[in-house]
Amino acid sequence: MAVDASSSSSSAKRPAYHLATELVHIDSDAVKDNYNAASVPIYQTATFKQHDADGSDAQYDYSRSGNPTRTAVEVHMAKIMSAERAFVVSTGMTALDVILRLVKTGQEIIAGDDLYGGTNRLLTYVSQFNGVKVHNVDTTDPAKVEEKLDPIKTRLVLLESPTNPMIKIADIRTIADKVHDVCPSALVVVDNTMMSPYLQNTLEMGVDIEYHSGTKYLSGHHDLMAGVIGCRTKEVGDLLYFVINASGSGLGPLDSWLLLRGVKTLGIRMEKQQSNAIQIADFLEAQGLKVHYPGLKSNPQYELHKSLSSGPGAVLSFETGDVGLSERIVESARLWGISVSFGCVNSLISMPCKMSHASIPAEIRKQRQLPEDLIRLCVGIEHVDDLINDLTNALEIAGISVKQPASN
């Protein structure tokens, strides 16, 4: 049997250069390449020939256990996430599924009450079939999390910040400190997809596991399905690798290469998308709409988010007060594609209760105060004037009289 080929430990906890630089430069020692290729090669192979009868000296034997292309992206992700170890798997939901395998029957999970619909679906499954108790609480209030902590039963605390789709902020540092104080054996896990490692590093806040849907900002083009997991300690990394190897959920070589290519442009894409989002949020707020976005100074959690992240990101949502009005806005947009997901270079618009969060029963959505009229915008890299003009046209077609900015 070959040795563990998944080792992706970051050689230094803090990158030597600015993150925007580190994103572009791949560690040349991550994969042995006899030809010094400028781009990491795609090792499109299922198996690797061995030199010995027992294969004990080989780094790779079977791509389910490890592949050089996958190793390259895992080492790179560990570096930019400041992780002790990182892993790439088939999808973002696979990443969460791998993490949830660390929770045993009889143990408990504390999660938010404003979650991605797919996350809610998977948590419902483990609750119904695995004998795991799931508590959904308002994670914007650390006291609500603390109320559910049990030193014996609590195994995992799952956070999103910002949340999807209400864009609420959790005090990650405070919650992580409290969880580790009360429940030393519990793991604090953060879905950091909406911020990406470029804007927010939760492992440095005391979080045990950070995961991403690599389909979103890390890839950036919606031509790839992937999940990324980063962990703070070797012990947790060993547990995660065992699950990934046993279940065969590791990312294939071609998709690993695509993910690695996408990550290189994360910085420049995120800067442009965020810049556009800030201006669009200002525009919508000027129309008297209720906008959920941590980049607005009117947001009550503006300062908290600023203390956690280097920017507000490029996803926002807003309420119109009427489901029919929201439907007309979404359907009248032209540049904004009606689609689930976020993080790609082109802008997307959707009504979460009808798409990404439709799997959450209506009564649960009402209980969790998820507005049926909510519109989510996932801002791309287009010229911001074109995006605002398209929104202006959609609002006016829907019946909203748009206020034009005052001229200087």
Side-chain angles (χ1 to χ4, degrees):
M1 179 67 181
V3 298
D4 179 356
S6 71
S7 179
S8 55
S9 177
S10 176
S11 60
K13 276 296 178 184
R14 289 188 176 275
Y17 303 101
H18 289 90
L19 184 54
T21 302
E22 291 286 2
L23 287 168
V24 178
H25 292 274
I26 311 299
D27 183 358
S28 59
D29 296 328
V31 175
K32 182 180 179 181
D33 172 30
N34 293 330
Y35 302 99
N36 297 316
S39 176
V40 172
I42 303 171
Y43 287 85
Q44 192 66 46
T45 182
T47 60
F48 298 84
K49 294 179 180 179
Q50 307 300 306
H51 297 292
D52 306 302
D54 61 3
S56 58
D57 293 330
Q59 184 176 3
Y60 302 98
D61 65 346
Y62 193 50
S63 280
R64 172 171 54 78
S65 301
N67 179 283
T69 313
R70 188 159 83 226
T71 296
V73 69
E74 288 180 337
V75 169
H76 193 55
M77 291 308 306
K79 177 181 69 171
I80 67 176
M81 295 172 73
S82 297
E84 176 64 27
R85 199 167 178 184
F87 307 95
V88 292
V89 293
S90 57
T91 70
M93 290 311 304
T94 302
L96 179 57
D97 182 59
V98 167
I99 295 166
L100 293 181
R101 302 291 185 101
L102 306 185
V103 184
K104 300 178 181 178
T105 298
Q107 294 183 321
E108 297 183 355
I109 297 171
I110 301 172
D113 59 1
D114 180 29
L115 295 167
Y116 166 55
T119 300
N120 185 82
R121 183 191 299 116
L122 188 54
L123 289 175
T124 299
Y125 180 89
V126 300
S127 176
Q128 292 178 346
F129 294 96
N130 293 7
V132 173
K133 176 69 175 178
V134 178
H135 302 281
N136 293 103
V137 302
D138 180 3
T139 52
T140 64
D141 183 357
K144 298 292 186 183
V145 177
E146 186 176 0
E147 287 175 5
K148 298 296 183 181
L149 290 175
D150 185 307
I152 304 299
K153 295 181 179 180
T154 302
R155 174 55 172 160
L156 193 147
V157 176
L158 176 60
L159 305 173
E160 289 182 10
S161 187
T163 61
N164 181 10
M166 294 299 289
I167 323 296
K168 297 177 182 177
I169 310 302
D171 190 340
I172 298 171
R173 288 192 185 92
T174 297
I175 292 174
D177 288 345
K178 179 57 66 175
V179 171
H180 291 142
D181 182 49
V182 177
C183 308
S185 62
L187 298 172
V188 179
V189 179
V190 173
D191 178 349
N192 198 34
T193 303
M194 197 172 288
M195 285 289 98
S196 85
Y198 186 72
L199 295 179
Q200 185 167 268
N201 187 313
T202 67
L203 296 177
E204 293 185 346
M205 301 179 198
V207 167
D208 299 292
I209 302 173
E210 173 182 313
Y211 75 98
H212 298 259
S213 169
T215 311
K216 315 284 193 298
Y217 288 112
L218 295 175
S219 166
H221 297 82
H222 280 186
D223 54 6
L224 162 71
M225 300 292 287
V228 177
I229 309 170
C231 56
R232 193 162 52 91
T233 67
K234 179 182 182 300
E235 292 73 22
V236 172
D238 289 343
L239 294 173
L240 293 169
Y241 174 71
F242 182 87
V243 174
I244 293 169
N245 184 38
S247 62
S249 55
L251 195 62
L254 179 57
D255 286 341
S256 293
W257 184 86
L258 286 170
L259 179 60
L260 189 60
R261 182 177 67 169
V263 168
K264 292 179 181 180
T265 61
L266 171 63
I268 193 168
R269 285 186 283 105
M270 183 59 83
E271 291 285 1
K272 175 60 176 175
Q273 289 171 277
Q274 179 173 260
S275 173
N276 284 351
I278 291 170
Q279 296 178 70
I280 289 166
D282 287 338
F283 163 75
L284 292 171
E285 188 174 55
Q287 309 310 314
L289 297 165
K290 185 176 182 180
V291 182
H292 304 279
Y293 185 61
L296 292 171
K297 291 185 177 180
S298 59
N299 189 306
Q301 295 184 298
Y302 174 83
E303 291 297 337
L304 173 59
H305 181 75
K306 191 175 179 181
S307 73
L308 300 171
S309 175
S310 62
V315 179
L316 59 105
S317 59
F318 65 97
E319 300 173 46
T320 67
D322 181 84
V323 173
L325 178 59
S326 294
E327 289 176 345
R328 292 194 297 275
I329 292 171
V330 169
E331 292 172 357
S332 297
R334 292 294 174 264
L335 279 178
W336 299 78
I338 303 175
S339 179
V340 296
S341 199
F342 58 87
C344 63
V345 291
N346 51 294
S347 296
L348 304 175
I349 189 170
S350 67
M351 293 179 66
C353 289
K354 292 184 176 295
M355 298 182 73
S356 58
H357 292 66
S359 62
I360 302 176
E363 62 272 17
I364 300 297
R365 296 199 301 265
K366 184 177 181 180
Q367 176 186 330
R368 297 179 183 177
Q369 298 181 318
L370 180 57
E372 296 291 322
D373 64 297
L374 190 73
I375 295 176
R376 188 182 70 179
L377 298 180
C378 308
V379 185
I381 66 171
E382 302 94 336
H383 196 290
V384 69
D385 289 349
D386 292 329
L387 292 174
I388 291 177
N389 288 339
D390 193 56
L391 280 177
T392 298
N393 184 60
L395 291 171
E396 290 180 338
I397 290 174
I400 296 178
S401 180
V402 174
K403 302 172 185 175
Q404 298 299 330
S407 57
N408 294 328

